[in-house]
Amino acid sequence: MVEEKVEHTIEALLQERRTFEPPGPFASQANAGDPSIYERANQDPDAWWASQAEELDWFHKWDTVFEGGFPHHKWFVGGKLNASYNCLDRHLASAGDRVAYHWIGEPGEERTITYKALYEDVCRLANVLTELGVARGDRVGIYLPMIPELPVAMLACARIGAPHSVVFGGFSADSLRDRMNDGGAKVLITADGGYRRGDIVPLKQNSDKAIAESPSIERVVVVKRTGEDVSMQEGRDLWYHDLIADASPERDAESMDSEDILYLLYTSGTTGKPKGIVHTTGGYMTGVSSTHRLIFDIKPDRDVYWCAADIGWVTGHSYIVYGPLANGCTSILYEGAPDWPDKDRWWSIVEEYGVSILYTAPTAIRAHMKWGTEYPAKHDLSSLRLLGTVGEPINPEAWVWYQEFIGGGKTPVVDTWWQTETGAIMINPLPGITTLKPGSATKPFPGVFADVVDDKGKPVGKGGGGYLVLTRPTPPMFRTIWGDEQRYLDTYFSRFGRDTYFPGDGAKLDEDGDFWLLGRVDDVMNIAGHRISTYEVESALVDHKAVAESAVVGRQDPKEGERIVAFVTPKAGREGDETLLQELRAHVAEVIGKIARPHAIIFTDDLPKTRSGKIMRRLLRDVAEGRELGDVTTLLNAPILDEIRGKSDALKAAGEEE
Ligand code: WTA
């Protein structure tokens, strides 16, 4: 499959030959302006990473920078620090009055939170959590909308050494339950609700449903956000505002070991339940602060930085919370949707707050492209000096549109490749040094060792395509999967051996040795920049009483990105009609969350299978993408494919909606 994909994509890429040198005025002021840092980091990666770790405040310095290698590595061994201290306390003397977050609620409220105020709120909640019996090492679940209490909750956990497990507010009760149970969380912090496109997301209701089957949760702390009526269970549920009212705004930060867990964050894998990615303290904080400072060229006293992701995903953890706060910079925190109340909401925020750096995903850029240039054109966006993207391969047209219509044709655009597992950006341009190519993430960050290899693990060299690998550990990478070490080894370190990390992505190297990412090569789909496995959606579908069997594939669409297409065989006696289609979409939303709803569902009496009964997803992918079919000789039931193909016209129409 990767060969096919590589072939496909190379054609498109070869047509994209434009390059952009760093603009002179940008280069001369850049945090990373000297190309020799690559050489320095290559020659002595440990010394390089140590120099980045030194930018943090350590209670006790490490004894060794790096121990071990893939799959087991440790960083800054013996070092002691606290993530919340690095994000807050150390800025108080020089920048306590600096704004940490300009918060903007979807309905229109605005709140300005200084470092001092954030520090006090974090200390209060840290004290509350201790009162509630949360001790060092206990896990705390967080299920909140994009409100200031979300970073406060994360930092309060970090302050007392309790790993947090944030669950994206768009996930369902079932998803929340599974994550709470896997992590064994003791306390859940949630809200009465959140706003999304004018609607209310019933977070407390979902929490109640989840907790009914999450026996480890002892207490629930509820933030009042919408003021909706919610049921509060006596003895279990407590209002956030009542708890912090009397709490002290001072609290020492625990001295944590560099390798102590900072947080768990769940992400989709190819099979089975979501994986609890385990991030530690010293290496993670080093990675996120260093990449944030150098890639986004942060000037903490001047920049207004906006990462328009949701904190529920890793992008928000690393580049809304830990990276920006460690660097003492001012960020925008926006609660809502980009098109609410109108499609220029983002651009009015950029104008009003003078945003200088914007980091978002290709899916958002494509949505703005679709809505039209009149929306950005209505606003003065001249404060922007740097743009970034993450989450999926960015098509060159979208890259160029972003630079032209948002960046005024002058800003560098940094395409950053990384994953929940890597914790921080791994492949990216440095905007004061790197020649940019629309569609390429260019080069590994200093101290990151990446390559592209073939099936046998042999480097393909310049001009070749194959599998992306990382050949040496970096500090911010995850250490294991929570409670499942074997799955950690099997998923990431079996394909090319124990000493090579396989992220699951295809890639190509061009003649300059620059990296072009080609998307996933496994059964993980990338939906609007978020990872959803075909297996999860299939399980949700067959969980419905009318479904006998299902197969799910991703359909690549150059305009829309990847879309979920489901092939479903209803049980005898059930019609595959519009009613069932809507029921199934609603059911998937219920089991996983709205983002996992199939965009199209094709009902079929049978699925193409091999003689041994394996569903041939490869052929279904061909059907979904309207390609010539691949090899069908091993098929048991070849005629069914013609039937399915006949229905593929209907595919465009069925169930397509945002
Ligand atoms: C994809 C998001 C191409 C990739 C930070 C990866 C990208 C998965 C890029 C991780 C990029 C992320 N170009 N593909 N710049 N950035 N990806 O864990 O397939 O939600 O494996 O982390 O997104 O998704 P995750």
Side-chain angles (χ1 to χ4, degrees):
M1 186 189 139
V2 70
E3 283 82 355
E4 237 172 70
K5 210 161 189 175
V6 168
E7 288 276 303
H8 257 356
T9 321
I10 288 176
E11 287 244 334
L13 297 186
L14 285 180
Q15 291 160 15
E16 190 45 64
R17 290 183 181 282
R18 271 170 291 185
T19 59
F20 297 84
E21 297 296 325
F26 191 102
S28 60
Q29 59 83 60
N31 290 351
D34 178 1
S36 75
I37 68 170
Y38 283 103
E39 231 173 84
R40 222 177 97 203
N42 262 336
Q43 275 164 11
D44 193 345
D46 292 357
W48 157 258
W49 283 119
S51 75
Q52 299 308 293
E54 273 157 16
E55 300 281 331
L56 296 173
D57 280 21
W58 296 77
F59 298 142
H60 178 83
K61 198 172 169 177
W62 58 87
D63 307 313
T64 351
V65 176
F66 171 55
E67 278 178 15
F70 281 137
H72 299 296
H73 50 108
K74 290 183 177 171
W75 289 87
F76 313 113
V77 183
K80 307 271 181 210
L81 78 167
N82 182 287
S84 142
Y85 183 95
N86 273 282
C87 289
L88 302 168
D89 311 43
R90 68 173 182 151
H91 305 311
L92 294 184
S94 62
D97 294 334
R98 184 181 298 155
V99 175
Y101 292 116
H102 290 290
W103 177 73
I104 303 146
E106 192 184 77
E109 320 94 303
E110 303 184 22
R111 256 172 79 185
T112 296
I113 302 146
T114 62
Y115 273 89
K116 179 83 182 349
L118 188 61
Y119 163 84
E120 291 182 349
D121 280 349
V122 168
C123 288
R124 285 191 187 96
L125 185 60
N127 287 323
V128 164
L129 290 174
T130 305
E131 285 281 294
L132 295 180
V134 177
R136 222 178 137 114
D138 287 342
R139 276 81 57 209
V140 174
I142 301 177
Y143 184 56
L144 286 172
M146 285 281 284
I147 53 177
E149 288 78 2
L150 174 48
V152 167
M154 294 161 75
L155 293 166
C157 290
R159 198 161 189 86
I160 61 173
H164 54 72
S165 170
V166 177
V167 177
F168 170 55
F171 276 131
S172 67
D174 288 6
S175 297
L176 175 63
R177 173 200 61 205
D178 293 348
R179 286 158 174 78
M180 293 302 104
N181 287 341
D182 188 77
K186 193 165 179 182
V187 166
L188 175 66
I189 305 173
T190 186
D192 54 357
Y195 292 100
R196 191 69 189 175
R197 285 207 176 83
D199 287 340
I200 285 177
V201 186
L203 296 171
K204 178 63 167 64
Q205 225 173 299
N206 290 350
S207 299
D208 288 342
K209 213 175 139 205
I211 296 162
E213 295 170 21
S214 302
S216 64
I217 304 262
E218 295 168 9
R219 296 300 182 98
V220 182
V221 177
V222 186
V223 178
K224 203 182 226 28
R225 167 70 187 117
T226 61
E228 292 287 288
D229 254 351
V230 293
S231 73
M232 296 290 280
Q233 187 179 307
E234 188 70 40
R236 186 195 72 183
D237 301 351
L238 304 155
W239 286 108
Y240 180 97
H241 57 264
D242 289 341
L243 293 170
I244 60 165
D246 308 320
S248 157
E250 296 288 336
R251 168 65 188 255
D252 281 346
E254 286 281 313
S255 174
M256 304 304 290
D257 194 88
S258 176
E259 284 292 316
D260 276 339
I261 299 180
L262 177 59
Y263 68 79
L264 309 181
L265 182 61
Y266 286 81
T267 188
S268 295
T270 48
T271 54
K273 53 180 192 182
K275 304 174 282 198
I277 299 300
V278 174
H279 281 297
T280 54
T281 310
Y284 177 79
M285 290 303 291
T286 300
V288 295
S289 59
S290 167
T291 50
H292 183 254
R293 184 170 52 246
L294 298 179
I295 300 167
F296 297 113
D297 192 47
I298 295 298
K299 308 287 192 279
D301 55 341
R302 266 170 285 153
D303 277 315
V304 178
Y305 160 88
W306 185 10
C307 168
D310 193 292
I311 292 176
W313 307 99
V314 76
T315 305
H317 279 59
S318 298
Y319 296 107
I320 299 178
V321 182
Y322 289 110
L325 295 177
N327 289 332
C329 92
T330 297
S331 292
I332 300 286
L333 187 63
Y334 171 54
E335 180 185 33
D339 54 350
W340 189 267
D342 204 354
K343 299 181 173 66
D344 66 341
R345 183 71 187 265
W346 276 20
W347 316 126
S348 72
I349 293 174
V350 169
E351 180 171 22
E352 183 180 342
Y353 291 90
V355 172
S356 54
I357 301 162
L358 177 66
Y359 188 33
T360 185
T363 181
I365 299 167
R366 286 193 304 264
H368 287 293
M369 278 172 84
K370 204 160 67 187
W371 295 334
T373 52
E374 63 266 35
Y375 295 101
K378 275 199 259 180
H379 297 276
D380 177 5
L381 306 182
S382 60
S383 54
L384 287 168
R385 66 181 191 91
L386 179 62
L387 301 175
T389 133
V390 59
E392 54 184 317
I394 181 161
N395 40 320
E397 304 87 270
W399 193 106
V400 169
W401 186 93
Y402 191 28
Q403 188 187 49
E404 190 59 37
F405 295 103
I406 307 304
K410 64 178 172 43
T411 58
V413 175
V414 289
D415 176 9
T416 63
W417 177 90
W418 58 296
Q419 307 180 292
T420 306
E421 291 87 339
T422 67
I425 297 167
M426 295 278 120
I427 303 180
N428 59 276
L430 290 174
I433 299 176
T434 313
T435 300
L436 302 172
K437 299 172 184 172
S440 170
T442 71
K443 301 229 184 319
F445 187 76
V448 174
F449 293 78
D451 206 346
V452 179
V453 300
D454 66 13
D455 267 337
K456 309 240 152 28
K458 206 170 129 273
V460 295
K462 288 180 180 172
Y467 303 95
L468 178 69
V469 292
L470 300 180
T471 55
R472 189 181 198 275
T474 57
M477 283 191 79
F478 70 141
R479 299 295 188 267
T480 188
I481 293 174
W482 177 260
D484 204 344
E485 172 69 13
Q486 194 55 45
R487 191 169 176 205
Y488 170 71
L489 297 174
D490 293 347
T491 309
Y492 305 101
F493 301 100
S494 61
R495 185 138 192 176
F496 301 109
R498 286 285 190 259
D499 56 356
T500 303
Y501 172 75
F502 176 50
D505 280 0
K508 175 195 178 295
L509 288 176
D510 69 14
E511 294 303 332
D512 303 322
D514 282 343
F515 287 72
W516 297 73
L517 279 307
L518 305 179
R520 305 287 308 184
V521 296
D522 52 16
D523 288 327
V524 176
M525 298 174 287
N526 190 323
I527 306 304
H530 302 309
R531 279 158 65 178
I532 309 285
S533 84
T534 55
Y535 177 91
E536 278 174 290
V537 182
E538 284 170 11
S539 309
L541 286 167
V542 296
D543 179 62
H544 188 279
K545 58 186 184 312
V547 174
E549 196 171 41
S550 89
V552 168
V553 300
R555 170 162 60 93
Q556 294 293 340
D557 180 313
K559 290 243 162 57
E560 311 282 356
E562 193 160 1
R563 295 264 152 152
I564 303 175
V565 179
F567 298 85
V568 170
T569 308
K571 280 190 183 148
R574 249 336 267 268
E575 258 326 285
D577 53 14
E578 180 64 25
T579 314
L580 182 56
L581 189 150
Q582 293 309 340
E583 259 180 52
L584 292 181
R585 277 171 53 84
H587 187 69
V588 174
E590 171 91 18
V591 177
I592 309 174
K594 277 189 182 169
I595 52 164
R597 283 183 310 189
H599 296 99
I601 297 179
I602 296 170
F603 293 106
T604 165
D605 295 338
D606 201 0
L607 291 165
K609 292 187 190 127
T610 61
R611 275 162 228 286
S612 59
K614 256 186 93 169
I615 297 173
M616 294 197 67
R617 288 189 183 71
R618 176 172 60 79
L619 294 176
L620 290 173
R621 207 174 290 124
D622 289 342
V623 171
E625 295 185 352
R627 268 198 304 275
E628 280 298 297
L629 292 188
D631 186 7
V632 296
T633 49
T634 55
L635 263 193
L636 174 69
N637 49 352
I640 194 65
L641 265 180
D642 293 329
E643 198 186 311
I644 294 177
R645 287 251 275 190
K647 292 181 181 167
S648 71
D649 285 345
L651 177 134
K652 303 250 152 25
E656 286 269 8
E657 69 174 65
E658 273 317 305

